[in-house]
């Protein structure tokens, strides 16, 4: 069975993005093992001369390395992903490269009607950067708008149409992960390139 | 013009900070650019609202009182650094200092791209409703290959780059002026009736009550007499404070941030004062001390708005109608707390002429008219300043003359 790491993109105790990932973990338990990962204890990203990375980030990196894929649920703050998530991704690409060629599914929930659309668009660009170089599932937006009203008391999505869309996208992601496993001819080179790249290099 | 610069990086070594420092130095005399520090800003979290912390209040106050903001962003993972986004999240959550504020984006990076993608993300972020900044369109300033761009003094080496930066900045200064004009009549929102309240407003006592002082003092159990008060650079009793203030030969008035007149130093009887105040006025709202004087009210609003918004720290105005023996000046100085939040007006009135006379006498000099002077030197020769009860922050002698407040250009550049 595939194993996925699900990153909660919010550092808030009350997060419908966490709820969404919890729901996915439950709903798809027969198809994949999903482990939720929190970013809220990571400090804000800062470069240092000795390229120090906090242990907590190293632990998350190891989990991602070992996983078959990653699911990210992002809220939208000011038209983009939260600083906390941006900071986590910066740690997870600072001398370590767990995301290279890793299949990623992007989801997101928001209180308003847009469901984090702009944050997701930026997140795609970010995951495509040289030190992350994730393999993002294409053409697969999942935007959960009005997320406060979306779940029932058991934490299950209420709207059948939305459930159907999520089911379909998750099946696609499983296929995408399987196809990805056959597309690893350049993986070594890609990892090397990520290692050699630096935002600080001449 | 007063701008603040934010370097989007908290790295110890940041070329974006170098770029802002260069701009600040290079434009000295043309525009005042203060580079702000974002290193100590905690991680944004809805569960731990630190909006009222000193570091965030200071940033917010600096931005609010600036005519515009320059943000210099590096690019990391195709976006702005988390540290910069983090600051913007705090400044768009419970407070919104960027609202309507002109912003210019620049960026330096090690690569040829010069932070192009980060700048586009930043534009989107700044346009979000909670931020609502007004970003200068076009005029992208991307400084690539930054490692070789500066000399050892932190100056840009390439003259064409400097010229382009100058042009861009000139456009931004014009842009900021135009954008800030949109809020030019914001002064009308100044609430001179003091209907709001601050954390020091005494509630439950009618502001217009002639006995406000005693009633309000009782309400808050105010200390008096020989009780000690610890000041930031001294220890005095209330009596000692009074002795000193009452012998300070300048008429002092305290108007708090809620536009309530709460103190004057009464070193002269009312009839001898340059700006008349009476003990029963203490506690009044500014509307109450200017009954029915609409034009005066407008000027008061303009002056207070300038001080509150940080457009200037000091407004000074001559009282018209002085004669050869008197030149009465009113000064209005903004007061701020440690974080830079507006705390009210320190107003003082002083007759400069006796001071000038003293100086002339001591140095054996005399005044002669300046043939090149632009002021109308003779107009004031008719009569003494009128004895109107014109308490606190009034901008004209009576409603007859309209005086434009003179903003003290040198004080506006000061840092508080």
């Amino acid at each position: 069975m595939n194993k996925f790491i699900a990153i909660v993109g919010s550092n808030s105790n009350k997060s419908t993005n966490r709820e969404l990932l919890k729901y996915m973990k439950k709903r798809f338990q027969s198809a994949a093992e999903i482990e939720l990962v929190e970013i809220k204890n990571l400090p804000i990203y800062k470069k240092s001369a000795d390229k120090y990375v906090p242990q907590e980030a190293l632990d998350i990196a190891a989990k991602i390395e070992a996983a078959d894929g990653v699911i990210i649920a992002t809220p939208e703050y000011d038209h983009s992903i939260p600083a906390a998530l941006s900071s986590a991704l910066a740690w997870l690409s600072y001398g370590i490269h767990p995301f290279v060629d890793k299949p990623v599914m992007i989801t997101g929930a928001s209180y308003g009607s847009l469901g984090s659309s702009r944050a997701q668009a930026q997140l795609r660009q970010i995951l495509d950067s040289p030190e992350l170089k994730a393999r993002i599932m294409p053409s697969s937006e999942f935007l959960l708008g009005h997320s406060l009203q979306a779940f029932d008391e058991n934490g299950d999505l209420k709207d059948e149409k939305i459930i159907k869309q999520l089911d379909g996208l998750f099946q696609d992601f499983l296929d995408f992960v399987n196809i990805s496993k056959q597309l690893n001819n350049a993986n070594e080179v890609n990892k090397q390139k990520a290692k050699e790249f630096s935002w600080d290099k001449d | 013009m007063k701008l603040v610069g934010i370097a989007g990086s908290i790295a110890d070594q940041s070329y974006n900070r170098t770029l802002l420092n260069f701009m600040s130095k290079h434009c000295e005399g043309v525009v005042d650019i203060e580079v702000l520090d974002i290193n100590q800003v905690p991680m944004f979290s809805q569960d731990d609202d630190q909006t009222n912390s000193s570091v965030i209040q200071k940033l917010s106050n600096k931005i609010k009182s600036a005519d515009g903001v320059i943000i210099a962003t590096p690019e990391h993972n195709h976006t702005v650094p988390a540290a910069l986004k983090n600051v913007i999240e705090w400044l768009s959550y419970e407070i919104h200092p960027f609202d309507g504020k002109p912003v210019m984006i620049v960026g330096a990076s090690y690569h040829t791209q010069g932070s192009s993608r980060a700048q586009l993300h930043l534009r989107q972020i700044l346009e979000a409703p909670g931020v609502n900044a007004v970003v200068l369109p076009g005029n992208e300033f991307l400084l690539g290959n930054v490692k070789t761009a500066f000399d050892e003094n932190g100056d840009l080496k390439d003259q064409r780059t400097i010229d382009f930066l100058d042009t861009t900045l000139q456009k931004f200064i014009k842009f900021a002026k135009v954008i800030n004009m949109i809020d030019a009549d914001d002064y009308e929102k100044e609430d001179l009736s003091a209907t709001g309240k601050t954390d020091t407003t005494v509630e439950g006592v009618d502001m217009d009550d002639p006995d406000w002082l005693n009633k309000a003092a009782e309400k808050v159990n105010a200390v008096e007499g020989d009780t000690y008060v610890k000041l930031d650079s001294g220890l005095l009793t209330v009596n000692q404070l009074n002795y000193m203030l009452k012998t300070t030969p300048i008429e002092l008035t305290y108007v708090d941030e809620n536009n309530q007149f709460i103190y004057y130093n009464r070193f002269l009887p009312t009839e001898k004062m340059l700006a008349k105040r009476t003990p029963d006025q203490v506690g009044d709202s500014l509307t109450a001390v200017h009954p029915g004087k609409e034009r005066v009210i407008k000027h008061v609003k303009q002056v207070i708005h300038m001080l509150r918004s940080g457009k200037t720290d000091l407004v000074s105005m001559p009282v018209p109608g002085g004669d050869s023996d008197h030149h009465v000046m009113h000064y209005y100085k903004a007061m701020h707390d440690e974080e830079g939040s507006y705390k009210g007006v320190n107003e003082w009135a002083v007759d400069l002429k006796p001071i000038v006379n003293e100086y002339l006498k001591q140095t054996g000099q005399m005044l002669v008219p300046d043939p090149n002077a632009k002021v109308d030197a003779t107009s004031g020769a008719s009569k003494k300043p009128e004895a109107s009860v014109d308490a606190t922050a009034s901008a004209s002698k009576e409603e007859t003359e309209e005086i434009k407040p003179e903003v003290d250009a040198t004080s506006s550049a000061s840092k508080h």
Side-chain angles (χ1 to χ4, degrees):
Chain A
M1 195 172 0
N2 279 317
K3 180 156 185 195
F4 299 143
I5 293 300
I7 298 177
V8 181
S10 165
N11 62 353
S12 174
N13 285 331
K14 186 176 180 297
S15 158
T16 51
N17 281 284
R18 189 180 294 112
E19 272 190 80
L20 173 63
L21 291 177
K22 277 186 179 164
Y23 170 75
M24 289 175 72
K25 177 187 165 91
K26 188 164 70 173
R27 174 127 187 123
F28 305 124
Q29 55 187 331
S30 58
E33 187 192 336
I34 298 176
E35 181 188 347
L36 266 67
V37 162
E38 298 284 348
I39 56 162
K40 60 180 174 182
N41 295 320
L42 285 169
I44 199 154
Y45 173 74
K46 189 177 189 233
K47 288 184 223 173
S48 58
D50 58 352
K51 285 216 155 194
Y52 167 79
V53 178
Q55 187 58 44
E56 183 130 6
L58 294 174
D59 293 345
I60 297 174
K63 284 181 179 177
I64 293 170
E65 287 276 8
D68 298 291
V70 176
I71 304 166
I72 302 177
T74 181
E76 180 168 300
Y77 293 175
D78 299 330
H79 289 178
S80 76
I81 64 170
L85 177 57
S86 178
S87 178
L89 292 173
W91 285 124
L92 293 170
S93 55
Y94 192 43
I96 49 178
H97 306 94
F99 275 102
V100 173
D101 291 338
K102 191 67 64 181
V104 174
M105 175 181 184
I106 296 174
T107 64
S110 79
Y111 294 172
S113 56
L114 299 181
S116 79
S117 61
R118 286 173 278 217
Q120 290 196 27
Q122 290 201 359
L123 183 54
R124 279 180 183 273
Q125 282 188 294
I126 291 166
L127 288 168
D128 205 26
S129 65
E131 285 177 292
L132 285 160
K133 267 280 168 264
R135 197 167 271 162
I136 314 147
M137 180 159 73
S139 317
S140 61
E141 243 179 5
F142 181 74
L143 309 165
L144 181 64
H146 303 293
S147 58
L148 280 177
Q149 293 83 42
F151 298 95
D152 65 18
E153 63 275 20
N154 301 319
D156 294 332
L157 277 175
K158 290 192 279 196
D159 189 328
E160 278 304 323
K161 252 167 82 180
I162 293 175
I163 296 173
K164 211 173 152 194
Q165 188 202 0
L166 189 59
D167 283 351
L169 283 173
F170 191 77
Q171 189 52 53
D172 281 352
F173 186 56
L174 290 172
D175 293 343
F176 180 70
V177 168
N178 287 333
I179 295 167
S180 277
K181 283 177 181 162
Q182 296 158 41
L183 300 177
N184 269 342
N185 299 312
N187 181 258
E188 230 166 89
V189 181
N190 290 343
K191 286 241 174 203
Q192 193 56 36
K193 275 180 80 174
K195 209 172 279 176
E196 284 162 9
F197 182 88
S198 164
W199 292 99
D200 304 349
K201 245 174 91 183
D202 347 55
Chain B
M1 178 168 282
K2 212 168 48 164
L3 303 177
V4 292
I6 298 173
S9 165
I10 57 169
D12 296 329
Q13 208 275 1
S14 156
Y15 283 108
N16 283 280
R17 206 175 303 129
T18 308
L19 175 61
L20 283 178
N21 286 334
F22 169 74
M23 289 172 77
S24 173
K25 189 166 68 173
H26 180 67
C27 302
E28 220 175 340
V30 180
V31 59
D32 180 38
I33 304 175
E34 183 186 357
V35 182
L36 304 180
D37 182 12
I38 62 166
N39 280 31
Q40 303 307 321
V41 177
M43 177 76 90
F44 176 78
S45 164
Q46 292 182 331
D47 301 327
D48 184 15
D49 184 5
Q50 297 184 57
T51 301
N52 291 323
S53 68
S54 168
V55 55
I56 290 161
Q57 284 297 316
K58 271 186 193 165
L59 280 174
S60 174
N61 286 322
K62 290 281 185 193
I63 292 167
K64 265 196 284 186
S65 64
D67 297 305
V69 181
I70 303 172
I71 302 179
T73 183
E75 180 165 308
H76 192 93
N77 288 346
H78 286 179
T79 191
V80 299
L84 174 60
K85 176 69 201 309
N86 187 56
V87 171
I88 298 174
E89 285 176 7
W90 281 119
L91 300 179
S92 60
Y93 185 53
E94 292 293 343
I95 48 174
H96 307 274
F98 281 108
D99 190 9
K101 192 67 65 183
V103 175
M104 171 180 170
I105 299 172
V106 297
S109 89
Y110 292 86
H111 300 265
T112 45
Q113 288 272 333
S115 79
S116 60
R117 281 175 281 221
Q119 291 199 23
L120 284 177
H121 279 193
L122 185 53
R123 277 179 190 275
Q124 273 190 301
I125 292 164
L126 291 169
E127 287 214 337
V131 187
N132 212 24
V134 189
V135 186
L136 176 72
N139 297 290
E140 269 190 332
F141 183 81
L142 310 163
L143 184 65
N145 303 318
V146 77
K147 262 194 171 164
T148 54
F150 295 97
D151 67 16
E152 63 280 2
N153 300 320
D155 294 336
L156 276 176
K157 289 195 278 197
D158 181 30
Q159 190 55 45
R160 283 186 314 169
T161 308
I162 297 174
D163 293 345
F164 180 67
L165 187 60
D166 278 341
T167 315
T168 311
L169 195 63
Q170 286 304 330
K171 282 186 195 161
F172 180 61
I173 289 169
K174 282 185 201 157
F175 176 77
K177 279 183 188 154
V178 172
I179 296 302
N180 287 329
M181 267 167 56
I182 296 171
D183 299 326
D185 51 7
D186 263 12
Y187 72 87
E188 285 169 15
K189 292 184 209 140
E190 271 301 329
D191 174 23
L192 298 192
S193 304
T195 51
K197 75 179 184 76
T198 74
D199 38 7
T200 49
T201 300
V202 180
E203 289 182 273
V205 182
D206 180 9
M207 286 183 181
D208 299 337
D209 190 326
D211 199 26
W212 179 86
L213 173 56
N214 287 319
K215 288 180 180 169
E218 197 183 336
K219 193 103 189 167
V220 299
N221 298 315
V223 297
E224 56 185 316
D226 290 326
T227 308
Y228 287 101
V229 183
K230 189 187 172 205
L231 301 162
D232 75 341
S233 49
L235 183 68
L236 295 171
T237 66
V238 178
N239 278 338
Q240 287 173 324
L241 253 180
N242 275 324
Y243 303 151
M244 191 173 68
L245 287 163
K246 285 164 83 75
T247 51
T248 300
I250 291 174
E251 294 177 13
L252 294 171
T253 298
Y254 195 121
V255 175
D256 73 8
E257 67 267 45
N258 190 36
N259 294 335
Q260 186 182 11
F261 162 42
I262 52 173
Y263 175 79
Y264 75 103
N265 66 332
R266 197 149 71 112
F267 81 102
L268 283 174
T270 303
E271 63 275 12
K272 289 195 176 165
M273 292 181 75
L274 300 169
K276 314 288 181 207
R277 281 113 177 76
T278 55
D280 63 323
Q281 284 179 316
V282 173
D284 282 6
S285 70
L286 287 187
T287 309
V289 293
H290 300 100
K293 298 179 182 174
E294 260 182 49
R295 191 177 289 170
V296 174
I297 291 279
K298 182 184 166 190
H299 286 308
V300 176
K301 283 183 173 182
Q302 285 172 333
V303 169
I304 291 181
H305 181 69
M306 272 197 280
L307 298 171
R308 187 191 298 279
S309 62
K311 299 252 181 313
T312 180
D313 278 350
L314 181 70
V315 177
S316 60
M317 268 178 271
V319 173
D323 57 24
S324 56
D325 292 328
H326 299 276
H327 185 76
V328 178
M329 290 293 295
H330 282 199
Y331 295 91
Y332 308 89
K333 175 89 179 166
M335 297 184 285
H336 298 94
D337 68 9
E338 302 265 288
E339 276 78 47
S341 294
Y342 176 75
K343 283 287 150 192
V345 189
N346 178 356
E347 177 192 344
W348 68 93
V350 60
D351 186 354
L352 295 181
K353 196 61 205 302
I355 300 170
V356 172
N357 286 345
E358 179 74 14
Y359 168 76
L360 294 174
K361 202 174 123 192
Q362 301 233 350
T363 56
Q365 297 182 75
M366 61 183 284
L367 291 175
V368 290
D370 177 357
N372 301 316
K374 292 207 172 77
V375 295
D376 185 359
T378 56
S379 72
S382 53
K383 53 179 174 172
K384 284 184 71 168
E386 202 162 308
S388 60
V389 179
D390 198 19
T392 64
S394 83
S396 68
K397 183 188 67 174
E398 272 300 329
E399 294 91 314
T400 47
E401 269 171 282
E402 186 143 356
I403 300 176
K404 272 271 170 214
E406 289 167 26
V407 175
D408 184 334
T410 55
S411 79
S412 67
S414 76
K415 301 169 175 66
H416 43 256

